[in-house]
Amino acid sequence: MKNDIPEFCRVIQDIDAYLRKDRELKKVFGISIEDYLALLKSQDHKCLICRVNCQVLIGNRAKKNKTGRVVVAFVVDHCHETGKIRGLLCDRCNLLLGQAEDNPTLLLRAIQYLKGNLKIDIAALPKDMVKYKMRTFDNKRSA
């Protein structure tokens, strides 16, 4: 039975875990584990957002990758309104989208914030924060 497992699936810890994953994918997303693995291969075994490599590992023993992150298997990301599968993501990127409630506007504002393009009105800050403005905020933006 292990010979039936696709070659590009790098590590399968046990056949029971493989079959459980297959049943779960069929029940929740309507795809087989072969579909999942084909999708993973089409993504070059990488998360579509952060590009971290996924070492497909179905079972209990996970090994850290070069960055120190343990990526056991990717999450099937899907639109919660339509159910359409968008791709496979690592758990961190999937949580990022979930916390933003799949809202592109919110994510774009977060990008602007990280780039330092959102201005803060120093005058509107509580007085106890103003003493920290030299360390906390860029003076050019507060002028």
Side-chain angles (χ1 to χ4, degrees), residues 5 8 13-14 31 34 37 42 49-50 57 74 78 82-83 90 92 102 114 123-124 132 138 143:
I5 298 169
F8 53 84
Q13 291 294 330
D14 67 60
I31 63 172
E34 287 81 13
L37 294 169
S42 75
I49 295 176
C50 72
L57 182 67
F74 285 163
H78 64 287
T82 66
C90 69
R92 188 171 12 186
D102 294 339
L114 290 173
Y132 299 109
D138 181 11

Side-chain angles (χ1 to χ4, degrees), residues 116-132:
N117 295 333
L118 295 180
K119 297 184 180 184
I120 297 170
D121 181 6
I122 298 294
L125 289 175
K127 289 184 182 185
D128 61 335
M129 279 190 72
V130 174
K131 65 182 175 183
Y132 299 109

Side-chain angles (χ1 to χ4, degrees), residues 75-86:
V75 177
V76 178
D77 179 52
H78 64 287
C79 175
H80 289 263
E81 291 178 15
T82 66
K84 182 180 176 186
I85 294 172
R86 295 185 284 220

Side-chain angles (χ1 to χ4, degrees), residues 23-42:
R23 283 191 300 272
E24 175 193 337
L25 289 167
K26 285 178 181 170
K27 181 179 179 181
V28 177
F29 300 106
I31 63 172
S32 67
I33 196 161
E34 287 81 13
D35 297 329
Y36 173 91
L37 294 169
L39 185 55
L40 185 61
K41 185 177 182 181
S42 75

Side-chain angles (χ1 to χ4, degrees), residues 26-127:
K26 285 178 181 170
K27 181 179 179 181
V28 177
F29 300 106
I31 63 172
S32 67
I33 196 161
E34 287 81 13
D35 297 329
Y36 173 91
L37 294 169
L39 185 55
L40 185 61
K41 185 177 182 181
S42 75
Q43 294 180 199
D44 195 28
H45 294 86
K46 295 180 182 177
C47 171
L48 285 175
I49 295 176
C50 72
R51 306 302 293 155
V52 68
N53 281 317
C54 177
Q55 185 171 6
V56 176
L57 182 67
I58 299 172
N60 296 332
R61 297 187 185 108
K63 294 179 182 173
K64 290 186 178 181
N65 63 16
K66 290 179 185 175
T67 63
R69 281 183 63 200
V70 176
V71 182
V72 174
F74 285 163
V75 177
V76 178
D77 179 52
H78 64 287
C79 175
H80 289 263
E81 291 178 15
T82 66
K84 182 180 176 186
I85 294 172
R86 295 185 284 220
L88 302 177
L89 302 177
C90 69
D91 58 345
R92 188 171 12 186
C93 290
N94 188 55
L95 287 170
L96 171 75
L97 295 183
Q99 290 296 315
E101 298 177 345
D102 294 339
N103 183 335
T105 303
L106 181 60
L107 292 168
L108 288 171
R109 282 192 55 81
I111 291 166
Q112 293 304 310
Y113 170 77
L114 290 173
K115 288 183 174 182
N117 295 333
L118 295 180
K119 297 184 180 184
I120 297 170
D121 181 6
I122 298 294
L125 289 175
K127 289 184 182 185

